[in-house]
Amino acid sequence: MKLARPLFAAALLVSALPACAPLVIGAIAAGTAVVATDRRTTGAQIDDQSIELRLSNELGTAFKDIQKDVHISINSYERKVLLTGEVPTEQAKAQAGEIAARSLNVRAVVNELAVAKPSTLGQRTNDTTLGTKVRAQFVNTKEIPFNSISIVTERGIVYLMGFVTQKEGEIAAHVASRVSGVQQVVKVFDVGTPEEVQRRRLGASQPPAPTTTPAPATSAPPASAAASDAPPAAV
């Protein structure tokens, strides 16, 4: 049985975090849900939910003294963590990345935090609407495995996560870039061959083994950057 990540994560978030916590987790931040069927196993989906919740607590504790100046969205896909949102200083950005890299089971960190004031409610509402528009375009494009792509939207920038082929990733980025209001598209995909993706779709392959080794903190390349064919490479 597959789990609906946003609903499950939201329920746990309410009980796990203080009412004034500045952090949000999972696809809730994007305004678009990762639907129940994707290329991850149920175990991998649960691992990602656990990482998002655990890291929310860890970052919430680390930034409790400046929480009014911090807005961090946390998304995990097969233990690759994407950090988006706003923090007040470069030091806070680096600290958030380091905390994420040390967090249990995280294999990689893509730190896309902006040094800026927290986005407004109006901006986040616009991001939610924008993410919904991108999802609609994915649904209407047969070459895109929309069930397997997580969409995160911050300040008009669309981040795409998932396990895809090179061609699927390129098409998804192109379609997203043509949606009105999208300022930039950043691919945070893991890339596999068509055969690897087919095996994953059929449930034959297993998710990467958990590790407690600190993960490298990096920034994702824009959609126009060159990509590697060897998984799990971010493109």
Side-chain angles (χ1 to χ4, degrees), residues 12-123:
L12 290 179
L13 178 63
V14 171
S15 60
L17 297 177
C20 57
L23 307 172
V24 290
I25 62 173
I28 299 169
T32 58
V34 176
V35 298
T37 55
D38 65 27
R39 287 171 178 167
R40 292 172 299 169
T41 64
T42 301
Q45 293 185 61
I46 293 174
D47 285 346
D48 286 330
Q49 292 167 0
S50 298
I51 287 171
E52 291 167 352
L53 289 165
R54 183 185 304 114
L55 190 50
S56 291
N57 282 320
E58 292 169 351
L59 291 175
T61 298
F63 296 121
K64 63 181 179 180
D65 293 336
I66 58 169
Q67 60 180 310
K68 66 181 179 63
D69 298 318
V70 173
H71 165 245
I72 301 177
S73 300
I74 305 162
N75 286 264
S76 177
Y77 194 97
E78 288 201 337
R79 301 185 294 107
K80 176 191 284 185
V81 169
L82 170 66
L83 300 178
T84 58
E86 302 82 30
V87 290
T89 64
E90 288 287 350
Q91 181 180 1
K93 175 179 178 177
Q95 182 182 0
E98 291 167 0
I99 292 171
R102 293 194 303 265
S103 193
L104 181 65
N105 286 344
V106 172
R107 68 176 172 90
V109 176
V110 180
N111 189 346
E112 289 289 303
L113 290 169
V115 178
K117 293 182 178 180
S119 56
T120 65
L121 178 60
Q123 289 173 316

Side-chain angles (χ1 to χ4, degrees), residues 119-136:
S119 56
T120 65
L121 178 60
Q123 289 173 316
R124 295 175 201 178
T125 300
N126 289 339
D127 283 335
T128 297
T129 301
L130 191 58
T132 301
K133 290 180 179 179
V134 173
R135 173 64 63 190

Side-chain angles (χ1 to χ4, degrees), residues 150-180:
S150 175
I151 303 169
V152 181
T153 309
E154 292 278 1
R155 304 180 314 281
I157 302 173
V158 173
Y159 300 88
L160 304 177
M161 305 181 75
F163 183 69
V164 298
T165 65
Q166 184 77 26
K167 182 178 180 180
E168 289 172 339
E170 291 173 353
I171 293 174
H174 175 71
V175 171
S177 71
R178 294 176 63 85
V179 174
S180 177

